[in-house]
């Protein structure tokens, strides 16, 4: 079924074309040709999502507040949402990691401008 | 290097809590396999993955600080050139075989919808019952469900949102979701000024690990010191989260692919397995818990809770279909069953937005930064489609074939020549 393995592909690159520039062209074509496959990728993604909603619709309990083991957990241990014990066990805090970015920016490894120009769409759409 | 469902794993086991996960490359490129097609960059939300020689050359992840570990590059690379570094498979097998360890498996909602693909089912097939039996067959002592803690998350996160809206707690709106560790690292790295907007709730698995020791263990009669807690996730970023010092109790994190590998290596015939259920104390869940696997699911689950709460715990509304589907940004204004007091007077609607893919979140973040965000609640999942399409899930059909198809088209005529020259 596999028409060409990766190894064969590289080999092909060697035999058929050889130069770096043509290598680039191959690259773009791989991508362009991939886009009609990528289209069906979103169909597969939809199938996964449909599986989830089908299951949800078939479940006896649909809401978190109706889950008997959730009620039990609050009764036995957590008291109420955001009670001191809930805060202690179930909540957290975050770290500012932006210093890494600043450092990489000063070293020329990261550019905020490039970051801001990343297209927002994904190819699988 | 081991191969799990077409993805390679270096098999590094970060040792203990001294490890700073921010220093680890969780994904990296095998330069000998990279065909320089650039697909990875088309998915990367941060510019972390780039050509290694300026504008060309095989790709590489340049710095772990820029990579949020979403794995979107990995699951879309047509050449299978991107690998994971961290894998706890060996350690988990050791723990299972160690009589002094009590092993607990906690699968994410998204596992049951995609593990099936590794065993010949079509995408989206839910195999909850078989998955649970399979985990027991592997030798886990207890199988709990992260959907239970997804429900718990909704109780906490919904309550937090309501308190932010009414002004009962002094935290800014909109409230962002906190269950996706790639999204969290994204904010921590690129939008630290927005951190007060992130819900203080741990992710479901963060809650599960902490609750397992102080609550679940007691209820189930387990010695919490013997517990070995395995988080099974559709996600590479969850490996990062499991190593965060703020998150306690996660001993190992594996992806759907690694779970499939473990089952296959033990020759477990998945299709033939009978169905069974997760252990009740932390294993019962609702539909709201299972839709966490889908983009918009956390929002819909939160709305089911809020609607009921605001109605005075009287009325329920289940379906909020406007937040479902693959659209990049989904917005909705939700009519509430009753008016609620807010800091700016009363309201009977709330506004929500859902970003399916963290690239879209940039738009929403910039709005919040400018003070023009109209929303109360924003869900962000780093992976387009949500966790069920996560970086740790099986590679979807079509991704790898892309290379082969192109070659078929462009070099069909050369096929014979290759045949003649190849050694295999
Ligand atoms: S998607 Fe894979 S093959 Fe293509 S450039 Fe990226 S790493 Fe290389
Ligand atoms: S894991 Fe995500 S952030 Fe890291 S290089 Fe890949 S796409 Fe980019
Ligand atoms: S969307 Fe889900 S799978 Fe993807 S990085 Fe976030 S938590 Fe992981």
């Amino acid at each position: 079924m596999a028409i060409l393995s990766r190894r064969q592909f590289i080999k092909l690159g060697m035999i058929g074309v050889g130069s770096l520039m043509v290598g680039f062209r191959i690259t773009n074509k791989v991508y362009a040709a991939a886009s009609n496959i990528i289209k069906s990728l979103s169909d597969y993604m939809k199938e996964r999502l449909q599986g989830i909603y089908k299951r949800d619709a078939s479940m006896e309990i649909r809401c978190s507040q109706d889950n008997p083991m959730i009620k039990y957990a609050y009764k036995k241990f957590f008291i109420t949402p955001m009670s001191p014990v809930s805060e202690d066990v179930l909540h957290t805090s975050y770290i500012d990691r932006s210093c890494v970015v600043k450092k990489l920016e000063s070293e020329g490894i990261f550019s905020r401008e490039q970051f801001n120009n990343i297209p927002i769409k994904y190819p699988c759409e | 290097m081991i191969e799990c469902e077409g993805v390679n794993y270096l098999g590094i086991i970060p040792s203990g809590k001294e490890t700073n996960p921010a220093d680890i490359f969780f994904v990296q490129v095998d330069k000998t396999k990279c065909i320089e097609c650039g697909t990875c960059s088309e998915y990367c939300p941060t510019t972390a993955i780039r050509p290694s020689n300026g504008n060309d050359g095989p790709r590489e992840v340049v710095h772990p600080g820029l990579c949020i570990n979403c794995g979107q590059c990995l699951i879309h690379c047509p050449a299978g050139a991107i690998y994971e570094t961290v894998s706890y498979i060996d350690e988990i097998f050791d723990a299972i075989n160690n009589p002094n360890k009590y092993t607990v498996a906690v699968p994410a909602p998204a596992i049951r919808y995609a593990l099936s693909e590794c065993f010949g089912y079509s995408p989206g097939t839910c195999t909850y019952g078989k998955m649970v039996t399979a985990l027991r067959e592997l030798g886990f002592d207890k199988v709990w469900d992260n959907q239970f803690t997804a429900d718990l998350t909704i109780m906490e996160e919904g309550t937090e949102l309501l308190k932010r809206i009414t002004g009962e707690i002094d935290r800014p709106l909109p409230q962002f979701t906190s269950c996706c560790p790639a999204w969290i690292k994204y904010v921590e790295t690129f939008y630290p000024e927005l951190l007060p907007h992130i819900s203080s709730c741990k992710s479901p698995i963060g809650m599960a690990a902490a609750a397992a020791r102080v609550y679940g263990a007691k209820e189930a009669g387990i010695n919490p010191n013997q517990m070995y807690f395995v988080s099974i996730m559709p996600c590479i970023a969850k490996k990062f989260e499991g190593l965060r010092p703020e998150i306690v109790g996660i001993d190992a994190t594996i992806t759907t692919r690694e779970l499939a590998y473990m089952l296959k290596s033990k020759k477990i015939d998945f299709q033939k397995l009978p169905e069974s259920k997760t252990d009740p104390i932390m294993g019962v869940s609702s539909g709201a818990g299972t839709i966490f696997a889908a983009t918009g699911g956390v929002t819909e689950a939160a709305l089911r809770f809020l609607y009921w709460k605001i109605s005075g715990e009287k009325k329920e509304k289940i379906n909020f279909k406007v937040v479902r589907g693959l659209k990049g940004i989904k917005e909705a204004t939700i009519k509430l069953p009753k008016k609620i007091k807010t800091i700016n007077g009363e309201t009977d609607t709330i506004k929500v937005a859902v970003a399916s893919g963290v690239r879209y979140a940039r738009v929403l973040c910039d709005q919040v930064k400018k003070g023009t965000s109209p929303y109360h609640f924003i869900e962000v999942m780093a992976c387009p489609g949500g966790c069920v399409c996560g970086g740790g899930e099986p590679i979807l059909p079509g991704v790898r074939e892309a290379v082969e198809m192109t070659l078929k088209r462009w070099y069909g005529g050369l096929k014979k020549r290759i045949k003649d020259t190849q050694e295999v």
Side-chain angles (χ1 to χ4, degrees), chain A residues 1-12 15-17 20 22-24 26-34 36-38 40-53 55-57 59 61-70 72-74 76-78 80-83 86-104 107-112 114-125, chain B residues 22 32-33 35-37 39 42-43 45-47 50 56 63 65-66 76 113 117 123-124 126 128 148 151-152 154-156 159-160 178 184 186 188-192 195 198-202 207 210 214-215 218-219 240 244 246 280-281 284-288 290-291 293-295 304-305 308 316 318-319 324 326 357-360 362 382 384-385 388-389 393-394 396-399 402 404-411 414 417-418 421-423:
Chain A
M1 283 142 278
I3 312 296
L4 291 166
S5 74
R6 186 199 55 82
R7 185 133 54 94
Q8 289 163 334
F9 172 74
I10 288 171
K11 203 170 188 88
L12 176 70
I15 310 159
V17 277
L20 201 63
V22 183
F24 266 129
I26 297 174
T27 331
N28 293 336
K29 304 301 185 208
V30 169
Y31 188 62
N36 59 39
I37 292 155
I38 279 168
S40 67
L41 196 59
S42 75
D43 294 334
Y44 289 122
M45 291 164 75
K46 275 187 205 132
E47 284 173 28
R48 281 187 180 169
L49 293 180
Q50 279 157 6
I52 298 168
Y53 290 110
R55 173 84 180 170
D56 168 37
M59 282 174 85
I61 314 159
R62 300 293 295 283
C63 300
S64 308
Q65 66 269 15
D66 298 331
N67 179 338
M69 295 319 282
I70 290 288
Y72 180 81
Y74 278 109
K76 287 285 275 204
F77 191 78
F78 295 105
T80 59
M82 297 184 82
S83 68
S86 298
E87 287 279 357
D88 186 39
V89 179
L90 308 177
H91 290 251
T92 186
S93 57
Y94 307 107
I95 313 167
D96 181 344
R97 299 181 195 273
S98 59
C99 52
V100 185
V101 173
K102 282 183 201 115
K103 186 170 158 278
L104 293 173
E107 291 166 1
I109 297 171
F110 176 75
S111 145
R112 190 79 198 196
Q114 259 174 35
F115 177 89
N116 289 335
N117 287 329
I118 298 172
I120 59 166
K121 273 191 176 309
Y122 292 85
C124 61
E125 289 171 43
Chain B
T32 64
K33 283 189 171 182
I35 58 168
E36 301 173 32
C37 68
T39 309
E42 302 267 349
Y43 280 92
T46 71
T47 72
R50 299 177 202 165
D56 59 69
H63 193 281
L66 296 178
H76 290 106
Y113 298 102
E117 284 166 40
C126 178
Y128 163 73
F148 166 81
D151 279 334
L152 195 59
I154 286 303
M155 303 302 288
E156 296 291 328
T159 303
E160 181 187 352
S178 58
I184 295 296
Y186 184 87
E188 290 180 326
T189 309
F190 303 105
Y191 288 96
L195 286 173
I198 307 272
S199 162
S200 65
C201 291
K202 287 179 183 171
M207 289 194 182
V214 297
Y215 167 72
K218 226 190 279 166
E219 289 289 325
F240 174 91
R244 286 183 72 114
E246 303 85 11
I281 201 70
V284 175
S285 63
S286 74
T290 210
I291 58 175
T295 168
R304 289 179 190 178
F305 169 80
W308 165 80
E316 282 191 344
I318 309 288
N319 290 320
R324 298 183 188 177
L326 286 176
V358 72
R359 283 181 163 200
Y360 286 100
R362 207 181 72 223
V388 82
C389 303
E393 294 281 54
L396 276 170
V399 170
E404 287 158 3
M405 286 273 292
T406 315
L407 288 167
K408 188 176 150 197
R409 257 184 230 153
W410 288 82
Y411 296 101
L414 284 175
R417 266 174 73 190
I418 307 156
T421 48
Q422 62 180 315
E423 330 95 312

Side-chain angles (χ1 to χ4, degrees), chain B residues 293-325:
Chain B
T295 168
V298 178
T299 307
E300 185 166 346
L303 289 172
R304 289 179 190 178
F305 169 80
L306 280 177
Y307 196 91
W308 165 80
K309 191 79 199 167
I310 291 168
S311 77
E313 309 193 356
K314 289 196 184 87
K315 276 205 285 190
E316 282 191 344
K317 183 167 153 47
I318 309 288
N319 290 320
F320 294 90
K321 292 190 175 162
V322 295
V323 295
R324 298 183 188 177

Side-chain angles (χ1 to χ4, degrees), chain B residues 64-105:
Chain B
L66 296 178
C67 174
I68 59 169
N69 315 308
C70 64
Q72 283 297 306
C73 52
L74 183 149
I75 56 166
H76 290 106
C77 171
I82 307 180
Y83 60 89
E84 277 195 59
T85 59
V86 172
S87 177
Y88 292 89
I89 292 176
D90 292 342
E91 198 187 278
I92 295 169
F93 276 132
D94 287 348
I96 286 173
N97 293 329
N98 182 339
N100 297 321
K101 292 229 157 109
Y102 194 95
T103 49
V104 177

Side-chain angles (χ1 to χ4, degrees), chain B residues 12-30:
Chain B
I12 293 172
I13 300 174
S15 54
K17 281 288 173 192
E18 314 82 63
T19 318
N20 182 357
D23 296 335
I24 302 176
F25 286 100
F26 286 84
V27 300
Q28 195 45 282
V29 182
D30 179 343

